[in-house]
Amino acid sequence: MAGKLEVERKYELPDGFALPDLTGVGGVTAVGEPDDQRLDAVYYDTAGLHLARGRVTLRRRTGGNDAGWHLKRPAGGERSELQLPANNRQKSPPRAVTDQVRALTRGADLAPVARIRTHRVERALKAADGSTVALLADDRVSTESLRDGGGAREWHELEIELVDGDAKALDRLDAALRRAGARPAHSPSKLAQALGPDYPQPVGVRMPGSKSRRALTAYLAIQRDALVEHDPHVREGDAEAVHKMRVATRRLRSSLRSFAPLLADGSDDPAALDRLHDEIKWVTGLLGEVRDCDVMSERLAGLVHAEPPELVLGPVAARITSLLAARAAEARRALVAGLDSRRYTDVLNAIDALVLRSARPERVPRRRLLRRARKALRRADARLAAADTAADTGAATATVDERRHEARKAYKRARYAAELVAPVAGKSATRLADRVTTLQDALGAHQDALVTGDLLRQYGISAYGAGENAFTYGLLHARTDEHGRLALRDVPKARRKVRKAARALFG
């Protein structure tokens, strides 16, 4: 499947519009000969138009230079487009496409919803070096809605799409076309015009109630949208998407714990939020297994590379890579199977319901929202104090380390709570979130050293059992252990800054 970022502008054209001479505009030195194309595209969606609600379009096009399946999604203010060849026997989208939109369709069937025929006259706008700055398409469009009661429409539009040019070139070409009478299209797409009144409004949440209520609802909605946005990239094996999707699930779980009394509806099953928390935790776990393999692979590779060659005895890098690759492959299989499951679909539907319930008119006082955030921070402080007490009284190292790990997780929840209240509390909440992040990172570096050290110990034993020299594993274990101990030195200072920021926010 081929992919690209689509950067384009669309225009409505008045009667009598004449295409201006674009040579000399935006680096264009020549306009290519017209390429006459006849395009015929069938657009697919669910009965409830779930793709259109998410501003995603899926079509099968015949004719032109890019016949096949096209999937377009929002991407940073522009559109990303994935293309896949189609054969004459395909009457429904292939799995390579449907998997990309599963988080939107939630397993619902995809069927034709519109047919759009376009007579396109395309011209390449060339630069002096022969590269193509942009493609200019003059389109005569006729559409037919395939939904019950749908109608037909015809219109004339212009489209310009960047190829090798930059944003400045597009802006200058845009200005020239506007001066000639072209106007930015009011409709977001040809499909929107084809479906007419059936075309849904963008996905969103009505935000009634107090500012605190809106902040709570918006935070939940942002995390829900992050899950849907990153889902297709996670399926493709994008490590950064796995990380971002995992963070979104953690923020949702944190909100369910920290703000449960504000989310619960009196008519709901009291245990419903707990069950949703546990189901989101399941998704977090699937993502975490993959993410941990990615991080550990990078970390261990860096440790080995940093050692002088004479201290790396035996096939250390090869053994580590092999063992982690096998673990990562199994984790990825489990993750994709989970994302394909009905259980995951049910989780997404339950999160949707949570966001909608949260957006109720019931007012949330600002002080109550802040009280929940303060409680989350106090809980984290208490756990770190318990770890300190255990260390001072000579408790087993494993016990102290476990309590520090619990404190780290609690501080992460406190950080997310501070993020949530920031729209209400302002910079003081943002500052607290930053300070908690620093403390959390110091505790996290210590925990990461423990996990890395344990893995190195296992790999060293495995290497020794295979008759290899285990010296390097022990050396790396010692280096990692020292790094973890040094990280703990940053905790007292970070803790003091958290307390200062907390006083500024909570008084």
Side-chain angles (χ1 to χ4, degrees):
M1 182 180 287
K4 65 176 182 177
L5 182 64
E6 184 181 76
V7 183
E8 64 182 19
R9 307 274 173 89
K10 294 179 183 290
Y11 305 89
E12 297 172 356
L13 303 179
D15 292 339
F17 175 81
L19 187 66
D21 182 4
L22 295 176
T23 54
V25 179
V28 175
T29 60
V31 177
E33 291 298 316
D35 179 13
D36 196 283
Q37 304 174 21
R38 302 283 178 167
L39 311 176
D40 191 345
V42 175
Y43 285 72
Y44 289 74
D45 208 330
T46 65
L49 298 177
H50 290 89
L51 299 189
R53 291 182 192 281
R55 291 305 182 255
V56 172
T57 57
L58 171 60
R59 71 189 178 203
R60 180 183 174 179
R61 174 188 278 175
T62 57
N65 303 317
D66 57 355
W69 294 99
H70 297 185
L71 177 66
K72 295 187 179 184
R73 296 180 295 216
E78 301 295 345
R79 302 268 285 175
S80 67
E81 181 176 0
L82 295 174
Q83 297 181 7
L84 187 71
N87 60 56
N88 294 331
R89 292 172 295 179
Q90 283 179 327
K91 299 302 180 184
S92 59
R95 179 162 183 175
V97 171
T98 59
D99 280 352
Q100 294 289 307
V101 294
R102 189 180 293 273
L104 283 172
T105 64
R106 309 289 168 85
D109 291 336
L110 290 165
V113 295
R115 185 173 188 178
I116 300 179
R117 297 179 178 87
T118 304
H119 179 197
R120 169 168 292 178
V121 179
E122 187 173 79
R123 296 174 175 85
L125 306 180
K126 296 288 188 176
D129 61 2
S131 63
T132 300
V133 176
L135 292 174
L136 185 67
D138 189 329
D139 291 345
R140 300 279 180 176
V141 186
S142 62
T143 68
E144 173 189 3
S145 173
L146 302 180
R147 293 165 60 84
D148 291 342
R153 293 196 60 203
E154 293 184 358
W155 69 90
H156 184 198
E157 70 177 31
L158 198 66
E159 177 182 303
I160 187 166
E161 180 180 354
L162 275 185
V163 179
D164 299 318
D166 58 20
K168 288 184 178 179
L170 183 60
D171 288 341
R172 288 166 182 159
L173 290 166
D174 171 80
L177 291 172
R178 292 194 192 206
R179 285 195 297 270
R183 293 292 174 262
H186 289 94
S187 180
S189 66
K190 291 181 175 68
L191 178 62
Q193 296 198 62
L195 294 178
D198 282 350
Y199 191 72
Q201 294 300 309
V203 172
V205 178
R206 188 173 60 87
M207 299 289 187
S210 62
K211 186 176 181 179
S212 296
R213 168 65 69 186
R214 294 196 297 273
L216 179 60
T217 303
Y219 193 80
L220 297 173
I222 288 169
Q223 310 320 318
R224 184 271 314 278
D225 293 345
L227 294 182
V228 174
E229 175 187 352
H230 297 304
D231 175 287
H233 305 295
V234 167
R235 294 173 185 274
E236 293 171 342
D238 186 323
E240 187 62 20
V242 171
H243 169 59
K244 290 180 177 179
M245 190 171 177
R246 184 191 190 190
V247 169
T249 63
R250 283 176 165 173
R251 284 179 166 137
L252 283 167
R253 288 168 52 208
S254 173
S255 300
L256 287 170
R257 284 289 183 254
S258 299
F259 300 94
L262 307 182
L263 294 170
D265 187 332
S267 62
D268 288 344
D269 176 356
L273 291 181
D274 289 336
R275 287 197 297 271
L276 178 55
H277 175 276
D278 291 345
E279 288 300 281
I280 298 174
K281 184 177 181 180
W282 166 70
V283 180
T284 307
L286 294 174
L287 294 160
E289 285 294 322
V290 174
R291 176 63 179 170
D292 290 347
C293 287
D294 291 338
V295 171
M296 191 61 69
S297 180
E298 184 176 344
R299 181 181 300 148
L300 292 181
L303 286 173
V304 175
H305 181 72
E307 293 298 328
E310 63 270 19
L311 296 183
V312 181
L313 306 183
V316 179
R319 173 171 289 277
I320 289 174
T321 299
S322 175
L323 292 171
L324 279 175
R327 177 180 161 190
E330 180 57 35
R332 291 188 188 281
R333 282 193 292 269
L335 173 57
V336 173
L339 296 182
D340 284 344
S341 69
R342 180 66 195 181
R343 183 179 181 182
Y344 173 62
T345 299
D346 290 343
V347 172
L348 292 177
N349 289 336
I351 295 171
D352 280 346
L354 172 71
V355 173
L356 290 174
R357 282 201 310 274
S358 176
R360 55 186 186 267
E362 175 190 333
R363 183 175 178 273
V364 173
R366 178 180 183 274
R367 65 179 181 278
R368 194 176 178 197
L369 197 71
L370 292 178
R371 191 183 306 135
R372 300 304 304 178
R374 180 171 57 186
K375 186 174 181 178
L377 181 58
R378 285 177 172 173
R379 188 180 296 115
D381 287 338
R383 292 191 178 183
L384 186 53
D388 290 344
T389 299
D392 293 341
T393 57
T397 300
T399 299
V400 177
D401 289 340
E402 179 59 29
R403 291 186 180 179
R404 283 175 177 150
H405 181 45
E406 291 301 316
R408 175 204 183 188
K409 292 190 291 185
Y411 277 118
K412 190 172 290 187
R413 288 191 289 271
R415 166 194 162 193
Y416 295 150
E419 289 177 353
L420 189 151
V421 304
V424 175
K427 292 182 179 179
S428 58
T430 302
R431 188 175 298 110
L432 176 60
D434 291 341
R435 299 293 185 263
V436 173
T437 298
T438 301
L439 175 54
Q440 165 205 312
D441 286 347
L443 292 169
H446 176 259
Q447 176 63 21
D448 291 345
L450 294 176
V451 174
T452 305
D454 184 61
L455 196 61
L456 285 167
R457 179 178 176 276
Q458 295 176 39
Y459 288 176
I461 293 172
S462 175
Y464 181 78
E468 299 170 10
N469 192 318
F471 167 81
T472 304
Y473 298 96
L475 175 64
L476 296 179
H477 186 286
R479 301 240 197 266
T480 299
D481 182 68
E482 180 64 15
H483 178 74
R485 293 177 186 277
L486 290 175
L488 289 179
R489 295 183 181 180
D490 297 330
V491 170
K493 181 178 179 181
R495 198 176 188 179
R496 289 193 295 271
K497 289 186 175 182
V498 167
R499 288 171 175 167
K500 182 178 179 181
R503 288 193 296 270
L505 175 59
F506 303 122

